[in-house]
Amino acid sequence: MSEGYIKSCIPRLRFGLRLNRQPARATPSIDSEKASVIKTALITGITGQDGSYLTELLLEKGYTVHGLVRRTSNTVRSRLDPLFDDKNVYNHKLFLHYADLDDATTIRRVLVKTRPDELYHLAGQSHVGASFEIPESTCQFTAMGTLKLLEIVRDLEKSPRILHISSSEIFGRPDASPQDERTAMRPVTPYGVAKAFATQMVQVYRESFGCFACNAICYNHESPRRGESFVTRKITRAAAAISLGLQSELRLGALDSRRDWGYAPDYVRAMWMMLQHDTPDDYVLGTGLTHSIEDFLGFAFERVGLDWHQFVTTDAKYMRPSDVRDLCGNAGKAARNLGWKPSGTCRDLAHAMVDNDLSLLKRQTTTVR
Ligand SMILES: C[C@H]1O[C@H](OP(=O)(O)OP(=O)(O)OC[C@H]2O[C@@H](n3cnc4c(=O)[nH]c(N)nc43)[C@H](O)[C@@H]2O)[C@@H](O)[C@@H](O)C1=O
């Protein structure tokens, strides 16, 4: 299946507005670095929120970027559309390859063919709530998929540096707050267990086989490109739709959960910085501040001049059998070693997401008429 064929299947959809923010400053030694030789990166999960921001970052830095794409009948890859539309980028600096995470032979072939300097492993089943419904496939992709990738890399003649996207879900109900890299893993969800397995495997391959392998232990990170089933985007889309008269209510699960919500492009920048460092290591990436779902509702609905209490009802369907309640990340090590800092506030983020959803919905309704 050629890359040109993949491209021809992709409808031309516009993706959301960018957040109008300045990226946080980092130490010049790492962040301002441009590759002196042209580097090649391979990204699993390239079509997701993080994959699309990372692709843009790496292309800006002069990389050649290869992405692995799952073969499904759904060929919408709207987050990458602006890059596909640029004839100097697609099939020149950016290439896609079909490979599922459990298809080791195909992944091996792509790795041998593309010989990447850096491998960013972002793919997996990322919905924590869904992991209770599909625990086996969650572990298959998220846990075993990572192990298979590490096994392939271990055997390669030229091993790339590896970045694995881990998650604050590994901490579950921790005994310390905020959490850092030394906090014990106590996951309470199938997703958290799968991520804990993958995170520890990355550590084993680093310590036992000498792989340059790092874990980015990411707390929640959002953007206008966030998938619509995650709570932030579900809320901002609903606030926009209700204000336009397109929706009348919003059904949610637990409203008292708290999350450490940051801005996704900051987190992919940290991932890149981790692979430019002299030594491989694990880093917690978070803002150090938490807000409840109710706080986020307040931020989103204030943007459209509405009171969320009038529209939100709780629905047992969205409650999880077990949920992490209040995770907060201490990113002090990333600040010290990489010069990384998150940017903006949760309120800014919610407002920008609502603005983006308003534009998208207005465009859609105009098109339909
Ligand atoms: C770090 C971590 O971050 C993400 O996982 P998450 O924190 O589960 O994110 P979420 O947006 O699905 O839920 C946040 C909270 O919001 C509550 N909540 C209430 N009502 C609804 C609701 O209606 N939908 C959803 N999805 N959540 C709801 C829900 O019970 C939970 O307490 C993923 O990126 C994951 O890949 C990852 O690694």
Side-chain angles (χ1 to χ4, degrees), residues 25-43:
R25 291 277 153 256
T27 43
S29 56
I30 293 182
D31 200 27
S32 58
E33 185 185 311
K34 275 233 170 197
S36 47
V37 286
I38 294 174
K39 285 190 184 172
T40 300
L42 178 66
I43 304 175

Side-chain angles (χ1 to χ4, degrees), residues 126 167 191 220 226 229 231 234 253-254 257 259 293 320 323:
S126 65
S167 165
Y191 172 86
N220 297 55
R226 189 55 146 150
S229 65
V231 79
K234 188 172 168 183
S257 294
R259 288 291 186 276
I293 310 296
R320 297 174 185 177
D323 200 358

Side-chain angles (χ1 to χ4, degrees), residues 49-50 125-130 165-170 189 191 195 217-222 226-235 250-261 293 314-315 317-320 322-325 327:
Q49 167 188 261
D50 294 354
Q125 194 297 98
S126 65
H127 201 283
V128 178
I165 184 168
S166 177
S167 165
S168 52
E169 279 283 319
I170 62 174
T189 62
Y191 172 86
K195 277 291 183 195
I217 306 170
C218 294
Y219 284 64
N220 297 55
H221 47 288
E222 320 294 310
R226 189 55 146 150
E228 288 165 19
S229 65
F230 294 95
V231 79
T232 53
R233 184 75 194 285
K234 188 172 168 183
I235 290 171
L250 169 60
R251 304 183 84 81
L252 292 173
L255 301 184
D256 57 346
S257 294
R258 301 184 70 85
R259 288 291 186 276
D260 176 340
W261 278 301
I293 310 296
T314 50
D315 187 333
K317 193 167 86 179
Y318 300 109
M319 301 283 185
R320 297 174 185 177
S322 168
D323 200 358
V324 298
R325 288 284 162 202
L327 292 175

Side-chain angles (χ1 to χ4, degrees), residues 31-306:
D31 200 27
S32 58
E33 185 185 311
K34 275 233 170 197
S36 47
V37 286
I38 294 174
K39 285 190 184 172
T40 300
L42 178 66
I43 304 175
T44 74
I46 193 170
T47 57
Q49 167 188 261
D50 294 354
S52 67
Y53 284 121
L54 180 63
T55 301
E56 289 172 7
L57 178 82
L58 295 177
L59 289 171
E60 271 167 33
K61 291 187 178 296
Y63 281 62
T64 297
V65 178
H66 294 268
L68 296 188
V69 184
R70 284 188 72 196
R71 179 74 185 96
T72 66
S73 55
N74 181 356
T75 54
V76 175
R77 319 225 191 279
S78 51
R79 295 181 180 103
L80 295 173
D81 266 1
L83 300 174
F84 292 142
D85 289 344
D86 186 338
K87 297 286 172 275
N88 296 319
V89 171
Y90 190 68
N91 280 337
H92 292 277
K93 298 290 288 178
L94 170 64
F95 304 87
L96 298 185
H97 311 263
Y98 280 133
D100 284 7
L101 272 187
D102 55 1
D103 184 349
T105 51
T106 306
I107 293 180
R108 184 188 305 277
R109 189 180 320 119
V110 174
L111 273 160
V112 167
K113 191 173 133 195
T114 60
R115 296 171 56 83
D117 302 288
E118 295 168 13
L119 169 57
Y120 294 87
H121 177 37
L122 311 183
Q125 194 297 98
S126 65
H127 201 283
V128 178
S131 77
F132 288 95
E133 307 298 322
I134 48 167
E136 188 180 329
S137 60
T138 298
C139 291
Q140 195 59 36
F141 287 122
T142 302
M144 289 306 293
T146 304
L147 175 57
K148 285 181 185 184
L149 206 55
L150 289 165
E151 268 296 278
I152 296 169
V153 167
R154 181 183 157 198
D155 288 341
L156 289 178
E157 209 174 290
K158 178 196 164 202
S159 292
R161 294 185 169 200
I162 306 167
L163 185 292
H164 166 245
I165 184 168
S166 177
S167 165
S168 52
E169 279 283 319
I170 62 174
F171 297 128
R173 299 217 182 87
D175 42 22
S177 186
Q179 300 81 48
D180 64 22
E181 297 77 8
R182 292 161 302 180
T183 305
M185 298 184 201
R186 295 172 64 190
V188 295
T189 62
Y191 172 86
V193 170
K195 277 291 183 195
F197 173 98
T199 303
Q200 289 179 311
M201 277 298 175
V202 167
Q203 292 167 349
V204 166
Y205 276 66
R206 180 170 71 223
E207 284 156 22
S208 304
F209 301 126
C211 293
F212 194 110
C214 310
N215 287 301
I217 306 170
C218 294
Y219 284 64
N220 297 55
H221 47 288
E222 320 294 310
S223 75
R225 299 185 199 175
R226 189 55 146 150
E228 288 165 19
S229 65
F230 294 95
V231 79
T232 53
R233 184 75 194 285
K234 188 172 168 183
I235 290 171
T236 60
R237 198 173 162 82
I242 290 169
S243 75
L244 295 173
L246 302 171
Q247 188 174 325
S248 57
E249 66 165 2
L250 169 60
R251 304 183 84 81
L252 292 173
L255 301 184
D256 57 346
S257 294
R258 301 184 70 85
R259 288 291 186 276
D260 176 340
W261 278 301
Y263 178 43
D266 291 341
Y267 291 62
V268 301
R269 187 165 42 82
M271 293 175 204
W272 174 79
M273 292 165 99
M274 287 168 64
L275 291 197
Q276 314 315 306
H277 202 262
D278 296 338
T279 44
D281 211 339
D282 299 337
Y283 289 93
V284 159
L285 304 175
T287 69
L289 291 172
T290 66
H291 294 88
S292 66
I293 310 296
E294 292 194 354
D295 293 337
F296 198 91
L297 281 163
F299 298 151
F301 278 74
E302 75 184 6
R303 190 64 170 176
V304 288
L306 296 173

